[in-house]
């Protein structure tokens, strides 16, 4: 049997251990299940998506609104709505 050493956030480890505990399995068993699914599906066993907040289009809109706000000191919501038009 092989050992894998990984570094993860302490809170993520605690949270995942609580979930696995509720499922009646260990963290090690949960990770093994994940890796078996990777092999079975020949890929990541869930859909990966980029957060639309970080899209080029949204970031551009935010920068325009920010620049307009800095120039006019208008209400933020009004500035964002103006960019949509």
């Amino acid at each position: 049997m092989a050992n894998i050493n990984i570094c993860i956030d302490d809170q993520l480890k605690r949270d995942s251990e609580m979930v696995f505990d509720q499922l009646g399995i260990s963290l090690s068993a949960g990770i093994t299940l994940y890796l078996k699914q990777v092999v079975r599906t020949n890929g990541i066993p869930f859909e990966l998506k980029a957060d639309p907040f970080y899209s080029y289009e949204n970031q551009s809109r935010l920068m325009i609104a920010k620049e307009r706000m800095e120039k006019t000191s208008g209400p933020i919501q009004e500035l964002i709505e103006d960019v949509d038009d």
Side-chain angles (χ1 to χ4, degrees):
M1 182 155 305
N3 287 317
I4 298 175
N5 293 314
I6 60 172
C7 294
I8 60 171
D9 179 75
D10 291 333
Q11 188 62 49
L12 175 61
K13 181 178 183 272
R14 285 190 296 272
D15 292 347
S16 59
E17 283 176 323
M18 287 184 358
V19 172
F20 289 136
D21 186 54
Q22 292 173 358
L23 295 171
I25 62 175
S26 66
L27 178 62
S28 180
I31 292 171
T32 299
L33 288 170
Y34 166 76
L35 294 174
K36 286 183 177 188
Q37 281 297 104
V38 167
V39 172
R40 182 175 290 131
T41 62
N42 197 32
I44 303 294
F46 46 82
E47 186 177 359
L48 297 175
K49 293 182 182 180
D51 187 337
F53 177 81
Y54 297 103
S55 70
Y56 176 77
E57 179 182 302
N58 192 50
Q59 291 298 307
S60 295
R61 290 177 53 218
L62 290 171
M63 288 305 296
I64 291 168
K66 178 182 176 269
E67 289 168 4
R68 194 176 289 166
M69 182 180 72
E70 289 171 347
K71 289 178 185 174
T72 65
S73 298
I76 295 173
Q77 182 64 33
E78 184 180 300
L79 295 170
I80 292 172
E81 289 171 357
D82 286 347
V83 172
D84 287 339
D85 295 335

